[in-house]
């Protein structure tokens, strides 16, 4: 890659200095300005091989400048930086033709890497796309949070919105998997179509195929009329298959055929129907483990996981909790409920809580606080009482406290019993160790807030050994923590 001329527009002098030094060390010629007007003059004069622009500048919004630049010089790559790091910012930057969006504060090494990629990849492929309305109210955004973990999600979602790629969303219950799917639809190329959500776990096994593909009159007992399926209802739009891990094997086979051939037939029908939908699936289960156990088709797994996305649990993005709480309090106030706030100690207590139910649990708590307590500012005593009550309820419905060895034995007994007298698949020893190893490492990293040195010490492992296990087990670590 040869040296290039890079044009930078940012009203923060410190950022201009840092970028000038970093990119200069790469051999590039760097020109900087604090306003959009000067940047436009340079671009209009044919200068620069790459543009890096902030969003908020004194004279113009950087996002508004992108379409003008792309119209004048379509092949000029543009990187967008912004402290307004919401989903909408990422979406707008991508819609208007930005090569990449980087939230502030950014990782300097990552920015240099993106610059090198932008200068080396062939031109074309990005450009303005049909997107959502520019005046979209950020209060209506489906996903809330400005943490680094969420920034990665926003960037991936923004990249996927102008495509029809199949997406698999992983995440614990309550992390917002359906909200992410709705965002892909509402801001994507199929936003004028219908978003149809189906929960596989909520449909009786014998009715899943009829539910998905529809049925003809007389196809089975009780089929007195023709009924359209979810694929037909979502034609031109998006079909969201929630809890895909609960889909029975026979229905998996039919779904695989649809993904392979792009068409389906109704139950009892003979005429093929084109499947004009975008498929987004979601699960809280470990599908790779289910594939190994023979509970999920491997070929379907790869067909659905064209682009996998993991939504982080709330405990991995605790810095988003204050914003989420303000959002939920605001929603309650818009519904006519009294305005509420939390004092600093109460907020800190909520940030320190582990949130087994994730964002859904937090939303329910905020609703409860709004309705049950009369004080305008809620203190830590109330929060402590609410959280301890929730924990005591969990203890009541769970098994009595037991040692680690007893807990393992208890689960292994349940595992053998579940096979109803048959032996599990061969290789049980290595399989059990591997399945224990992953959650052990994940929980240790969570307990140390992603600090790999502390996690290695906690586990009694060499740090290099821990890093290798993280890589081999494909464990996601919160970025920015060592």
């Amino acid at each position: 890659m040869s040296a290039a001329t890079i044009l930078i527009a940012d009203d923060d002098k410190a950022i201009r200095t840092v970028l000038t030094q970093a990119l200069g060390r790469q051999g590039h010629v760097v020109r900087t300005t604090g306003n959009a007007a000067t940047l436009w003059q340079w671009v209009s004069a044919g200068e620069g091989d790459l543009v890096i622009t902030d969003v908020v500048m004194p004279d113009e919004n950087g996002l508004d400048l992108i379409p003008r630049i792309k119209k004048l010089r379509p092949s000029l790559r543009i990187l967008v930086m912004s402290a307004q790091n919401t989903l909408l910012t990422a979406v707008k930057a991508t819609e208007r033709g930005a090569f990449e969006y980087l939230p502030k504060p950014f990782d300097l090494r990552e920015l240099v890497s993106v610059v090198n990629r932008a200068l080396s990849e062939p031109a074309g492929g990005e450009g303005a796309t049909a997107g959502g309305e520019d005046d979209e109210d950020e209060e209506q955004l489906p996903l809330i949070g400005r943490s680094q973990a969420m920034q990665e999600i926003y960037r991936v979602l923004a990249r996927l919105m102008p495509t029809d790629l199949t997406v698999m969303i992983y995440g614990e219950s309550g992390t917002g998997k359906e909200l992410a799917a709705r965002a892909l639809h509402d801001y994507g190329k199929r936003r004028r179509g219908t978003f149809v959500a189906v929960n596989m776990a909520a449909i009786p096994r014998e009715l899943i195929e009829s539910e998905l593909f529809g049925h003809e009159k007389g196809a089975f007992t009780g089929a007195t009329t023709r009924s359209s399926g979810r694929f037909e209802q979502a034609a031109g739009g998006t079909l969201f298959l929630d809890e895909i891990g609960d889909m029975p094997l026979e229905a998996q086979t039919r779904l695989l055929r649809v993904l392979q051939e792009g068409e389906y037939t109704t139950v009892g029908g003979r005429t093929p129907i084109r499947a004009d939908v975008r498929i987004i699936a979601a699960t809280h289960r470990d599908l790779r483990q289910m594939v190994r156990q023979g509970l999920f088709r491997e070929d379907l797994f790869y067909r659905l996981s064209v682009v996998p996305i993991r939504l982080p649990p709330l405990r991995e993005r605790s810095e988003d909790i204050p914003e989420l709480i303000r959002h939920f309090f605001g929603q309650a106030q818009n519904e006519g409920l009294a305005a509420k706030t939390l004092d600093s100690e109460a907020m800190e207590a909520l940030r320190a809580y582990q949130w087994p139910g994730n964002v859904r649990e937090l939303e329910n708590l905020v609703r409860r606080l709004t309705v049950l307590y009369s004080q305008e500012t809620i203190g830590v005593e109330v929060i402590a009482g609410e959280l301890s009550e929730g924990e005591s309820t969990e203890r009541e419905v769970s098994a009595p406290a037991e040692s680690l060895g007893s807990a393992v034995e208890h689960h292994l007994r349940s595992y053998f019993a579940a096979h109803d007298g048959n032996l599990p698949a061969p290789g049980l020893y290595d399989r059990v160790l591997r399945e224990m190893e992953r959650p052990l490492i994940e929980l240790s990293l969570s307990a140390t807030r992603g600090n790999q040195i502390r996690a290695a010490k906690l586990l009694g492992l060499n740090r290099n050994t821990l890093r290798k296990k993280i890589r081999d087990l494909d464990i996601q670590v919160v970025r920015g923590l060592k």
Side-chain angles (χ1 to χ4, degrees):
M1 181 188 65
S2 58
T5 299
I6 300 175
L7 310 179
I8 298 175
D10 195 302
D11 60 354
D12 189 324
K13 184 177 180 180
I15 288 180
R16 298 200 302 268
T17 301
V18 168
L19 293 183
T20 298
Q21 293 174 348
L23 297 175
R25 286 195 293 268
Q26 301 293 312
H28 302 302
V29 177
V30 181
R31 301 187 66 183
T32 66
T33 178
N35 58 75
T38 303
L39 174 62
W40 176 247
Q41 290 176 4
W42 291 340
V43 172
S44 301
E47 300 179 29
D49 303 299
L50 176 72
V51 169
I52 302 177
T53 179
D54 191 14
V55 171
V56 179
M57 288 185 284
D59 53 341
E60 187 175 358
N61 186 299
L63 293 176
D64 296 334
L65 189 60
I66 297 175
R68 290 161 51 199
I69 295 176
K70 299 299 290 186
K71 183 176 181 180
L72 181 67
R73 297 174 60 184
S75 62
L76 183 62
R77 292 278 169 79
I78 304 171
L79 309 186
V80 173
M81 304 181 299
S82 177
Q84 293 184 325
N85 37 19
T86 66
L87 173 62
L88 188 58
T89 308
V91 170
K92 284 184 176 181
T94 303
E95 284 176 357
R96 300 183 188 194
F99 177 78
E100 186 60 276
Y101 157 75
L102 292 171
K104 294 180 179 179
F106 51 82
D107 185 298
L108 194 57
R109 288 172 298 180
E110 181 183 13
L111 184 138
V112 171
S113 175
V114 172
V115 166
N116 292 337
R117 181 160 54 86
L119 291 171
S120 60
E121 288 186 8
E126 83 274 4
T129 62
E133 299 298 324
D134 289 349
D135 59 354
E136 182 73 37
D137 183 0
E138 291 196 4
E139 291 299 319
Q140 303 302 316
L141 288 176
L143 296 170
I144 304 294
R146 300 170 189 265
S147 62
Q148 185 62 45
M150 291 307 294
Q151 294 308 312
E152 293 302 312
I153 299 298
Y154 297 160
R155 291 172 65 185
V156 173
L157 292 178
R159 284 285 187 182
L160 289 172
M161 283 165 186
T163 77
D164 261 345
L165 292 176
T166 303
V167 178
M168 173 67 80
I169 304 175
Y170 295 91
E172 297 176 6
S173 179
T175 50
K177 297 185 290 294
E178 183 168 346
L179 293 179
R182 284 189 177 275
L184 282 170
H185 173 80
D186 291 343
Y187 295 94
K189 60 190 292 187
R190 290 180 173 266
R191 68 191 185 282
R192 301 192 187 282
T194 305
F195 178 88
V196 175
V198 188
N199 189 325
M200 294 291 103
I203 306 173
R205 296 173 64 92
E206 64 273 12
L207 297 180
I208 283 184
E209 291 190 45
S210 174
E211 184 78 16
L212 289 178
F213 308 112
H215 62 259
E216 300 299 323
K217 180 179 178 180
F220 50 84
T221 303
T224 56
T225 60
R226 183 188 185 276
S227 176
S228 63
R230 299 306 182 97
F231 269 88
E232 185 175 342
Q233 295 166 13
T238 301
L239 180 60
F240 175 54
L241 303 176
D242 198 8
E243 298 303 348
I244 191 71
D246 289 282
M247 176 179 275
L249 284 170
E250 56 271 20
Q252 292 179 29
T253 301
R254 285 205 64 177
L255 178 60
L256 176 64
R257 193 175 303 124
V258 175
L259 293 174
Q260 290 174 333
E261 301 174 4
E263 59 184 27
Y264 64 95
T265 56
T266 59
V267 176
R270 297 182 178 180
T271 305
I273 303 172
R274 189 169 75 89
D276 181 21
V277 298
R278 180 186 196 169
I279 299 290
I280 301 175
T283 184
H284 73 282
R285 298 179 181 273
D286 185 343
L287 290 188
R288 290 185 182 275
Q289 178 183 359
M290 294 184 68
V291 168
R292 291 193 294 269
Q293 294 174 338
L295 300 176
F296 201 87
R297 291 188 60 123
E298 184 175 21
D299 42 9
L300 178 59
F301 170 78
Y302 287 113
R303 281 281 182 173
L304 291 172
S305 299
V306 176
V307 182
I309 298 176
R310 175 187 175 270
L311 291 185
L314 188 55
R315 61 184 173 273
E316 290 182 10
R317 56 184 190 105
S318 60
E319 60 267 47
D320 289 333
I321 288 176
E323 185 177 0
L324 285 163
I325 290 173
R326 287 192 295 270
H327 174 75
F328 294 137
F329 272 144
Q331 281 186 332
Q333 190 173 355
N334 290 338
E335 295 170 8
L337 299 175
K340 303 286 183 181
T341 58
L342 300 178
D343 66 24
S344 58
E345 291 184 354
M347 186 68 77
E348 192 55 39
L350 292 178
R351 290 191 60 172
Y353 184 59
Q354 287 299 295
W355 298 109
N358 292 295
V359 180
R360 184 185 295 119
E361 182 186 4
L362 175 60
E363 180 179 10
N364 291 339
L365 173 62
V366 171
R367 289 271 177 181
R368 198 158 62 246
L369 295 174
T370 305
V371 173
L372 298 183
Y373 297 92
S374 58
Q375 57 265 50
E376 182 177 333
T377 301
I378 296 173
V380 68
E381 298 84 4
V382 170
I383 298 301
E386 286 288 337
L387 297 182
S388 64
E389 183 177 340
E391 290 174 353
S392 64
T393 302
E394 290 176 9
R395 286 195 294 269
E396 289 173 5
V397 300
S398 62
E402 53 188 351
S403 69
L404 180 60
S406 298
V408 172
E409 181 181 355
H410 171 78
H411 286 287
L412 285 175
R413 286 184 181 277
S414 299
Y415 179 78
F416 275 89
H419 285 79
D420 197 26
N422 297 317
L423 291 177
L428 180 61
Y429 182 84
D430 288 337
R431 193 162 66 248
V432 168
L433 291 183
R434 181 176 177 85
E435 296 303 327
M436 289 179 61
E437 188 176 43
R438 181 185 181 91
L440 176 61
I441 293 175
E442 287 180 332
L443 289 170
S444 298
L445 287 167
S446 176
T448 59
R449 299 182 63 81
N451 189 310
Q452 294 182 26
I453 295 177
R454 293 176 59 199
K457 185 176 181 181
L458 173 66
L459 292 164
L461 297 175
N462 178 278
R463 187 182 181 189
N464 291 332
T465 301
L466 176 60
R467 282 181 166 175
K468 184 177 185 301
K469 289 183 178 294
I470 290 172
R471 183 172 61 252
D472 292 345
L473 295 170
D474 195 25
I475 294 174
Q476 299 297 315
V477 182
V478 179
R479 297 190 55 181
L481 299 179
K482 303 293 185 186

